């Protein structure tokens, strides 16, 4: 029986739109491409999620990739919160699941800088969950098996009582390999229907 619903954050509970944020900051298309290729489209961004580098080390690395765009890279870094906003269905969905008696958890690849910039507004739903584990906290990232085990151990969860929703198939596969039921998230209504197949009323 499923007792716990575990959510990824990006593209499940919140939008992640860095290119749109860069445009909103006044960058033309050439600049957007250069800044994106130096930041969010690099393996360094994954390392930001892992928490392996300091904020200053990350920023320095981004700038090194495109020094001609230093000012724009710094501007995006300072305003990364503009790339993230909650989907409108999140609050009601969580309340419904809680009312049905399910425990809610977060398991997300997320960088410390981005977390600090977004936790009070875009991640306001954190107050409604029973626990959250972000990758930067444990220096592990999905789909590595260690991070799923870290979640289970931290919150004393049994894998067979959990279902996990993530927009990336490799992360879904990682959860399944650890004994956790998992759903590839492609949209709110589709996810609700797939949760019902696991007996989850939502």
């Amino acid at each position: 029986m499923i007792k716990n619903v575990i959510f990824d954050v990006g593209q499940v509970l919140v939008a992640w739109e860095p290119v749109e944020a860069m445009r909103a900051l006044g960058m033309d298309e050439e600049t957007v491409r250069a800044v994106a290729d130096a930041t969010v489209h690099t393996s360094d961004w994954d390392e930001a999620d892992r928490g392996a580098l300091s904020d200053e080390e990350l920023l320095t690395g981004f700038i090194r990739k495109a020094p001609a765009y230093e000012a724009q890279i710094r501007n995006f870094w300072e305003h990364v919160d503009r790339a993230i906003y909650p989907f409108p269905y999140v609050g009601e969905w969580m309340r419904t699941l809680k009312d049905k008696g399910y425990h809610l958890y977060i398991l997300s690849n997320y960088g410390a800088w981005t977390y600090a910039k977004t936790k009070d507004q875009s991640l306001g739903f954190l107050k409604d969950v029973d626990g959250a584990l972000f990758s930067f906290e444990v220096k592990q990232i999905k789909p590595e098996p260690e991070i799923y085990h870290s979640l289970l151990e931290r919150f004393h969860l049994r894998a067979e009582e959990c279902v996990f929703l993530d927009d990336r198939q490799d992360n879904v596969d990682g959860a399944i390999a650890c004994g956790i039921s998992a759903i590839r998230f492609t949209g709110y209504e589709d996810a609700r229907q797939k949760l019902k197949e696991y007996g989850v009323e939502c």
Side-chain angles (χ1 to χ4, degrees):
M1 177 187 296
I2 298 297
K3 297 180 179 179
N4 312 298
V5 181
I6 306 167
F7 293 96
D8 175 36
V9 171
Q11 306 296 37
V12 176
L13 300 179
V14 304
W16 166 236
E17 299 290 351
V19 168
E20 291 305 314
M22 292 172 196
R23 290 173 180 150
L25 290 168
M27 300 182 200
D28 60 29
E29 292 306 302
E30 180 180 345
T31 302
V32 166
R33 284 193 295 272
V35 172
D37 286 346
T39 58
V40 296
H41 294 163
T42 68
S43 59
D44 285 353
W45 199 265
D46 292 334
E47 291 309 301
D49 288 347
R50 190 186 295 277
L53 300 172
S54 70
D55 296 337
E56 191 57 40
E57 286 172 328
L58 286 164
L59 182 56
T60 299
F62 296 147
I63 292 168
R64 189 180 298 120
K65 290 177 175 60
Y69 295 91
E70 177 175 354
Q72 293 89 345
I73 290 171
R74 288 185 180 276
N75 193 23
F76 171 65
W77 183 242
E78 188 61 36
H79 296 96
V80 68
D81 54 301
R82 294 196 183 192
I84 297 171
Y85 54 88
F87 291 123
Y89 54 75
V90 171
E92 182 179 355
W93 195 14
M94 287 193 165
R95 283 191 296 273
T96 299
L97 286 164
K98 294 286 281 187
D99 288 346
K100 298 286 187 180
Y102 296 101
H103 299 290
L104 308 183
Y105 296 90
I106 300 294
L107 180 64
S108 178
N109 287 353
Y110 218 92
W113 175 266
T114 308
Y115 177 79
K117 286 286 188 178
T118 58
K119 64 183 175 68
D120 293 329
Q121 293 187 356
S122 297
L123 305 186
F125 53 79
L126 290 176
K127 67 182 184 300
D128 299 318
V129 303
D130 297 279
L133 190 151
F134 291 94
S135 57
F136 74 87
E137 299 176 297
V138 289
K139 294 184 168 47
Q140 301 162 348
I141 59 174
K142 297 174 294 183
E144 297 168 353
E146 291 81 5
I147 194 167
Y148 302 97
H149 293 305
S150 291
L151 178 82
L152 297 175
E153 291 167 8
R154 176 178 291 190
F155 299 111
H156 309 290
L157 305 178
R158 299 179 61 174
E160 64 271 20
E161 295 177 345
C162 300
V163 62
F164 174 56
L165 297 96
D166 196 293
D167 64 305
R168 289 179 47 167
Q169 188 62 48
D170 56 345
N171 295 338
V172 167
D173 293 341
I176 292 170
C178 293
I180 300 168
S181 297
I183 294 168
R184 171 81 181 274
F185 183 90
T186 59
Y188 170 55
E189 292 298 339
D190 180 70
R192 290 182 66 225
Q193 291 304 313
K194 288 178 178 174
L195 282 169
K196 288 177 182 178
E197 294 174 12
Y198 287 96
V200 177
E201 300 178 42
C202 58

